[in-house]
Amino acid sequence: METKETKPKCPKCQTGHLTRRAKRPLWMKTLLFWLPIKRYECGSCYRRSYVFGTYSTGNPIG
């Protein structure tokens, strides 16, 4: 049985969805590697936002 993951909405434009993964800065990879923070890019406005947690249940941060 397949489950469809819901994509989080962009916190900046509120119309697009965070679709593509964006690279995290080196300092974040080095110092905060243990946190489940992922960086995504909006498909509409192309701004980057951080998602805390898993993709399907994560909440955008700023």
Side-chain angles (χ1 to χ4, degrees), residues 34-60:
W34 50 274
L35 287 175
I37 296 176
K38 300 192 182 335
R39 193 172 185 194
Y40 289 92
E41 189 174 281
C42 176
S44 296
C45 67
Y46 301 106
R47 291 192 177 190
R48 294 183 179 113
S49 297
Y50 292 96
V51 174
F52 186 80
T54 61
Y55 187 81
S56 60
T57 60
N59 297 322

Side-chain angles (χ1 to χ4, degrees), residues 23-43:
K23 290 185 178 183
R24 291 181 295 171
L26 183 62
W27 67 268
M28 182 174 275
K29 285 183 182 181
T30 306
L31 298 176
L32 303 176
F33 64 91
W34 50 274
L35 287 175
I37 296 176
K38 300 192 182 335
R39 193 172 185 194
Y40 289 92
E41 189 174 281
C42 176

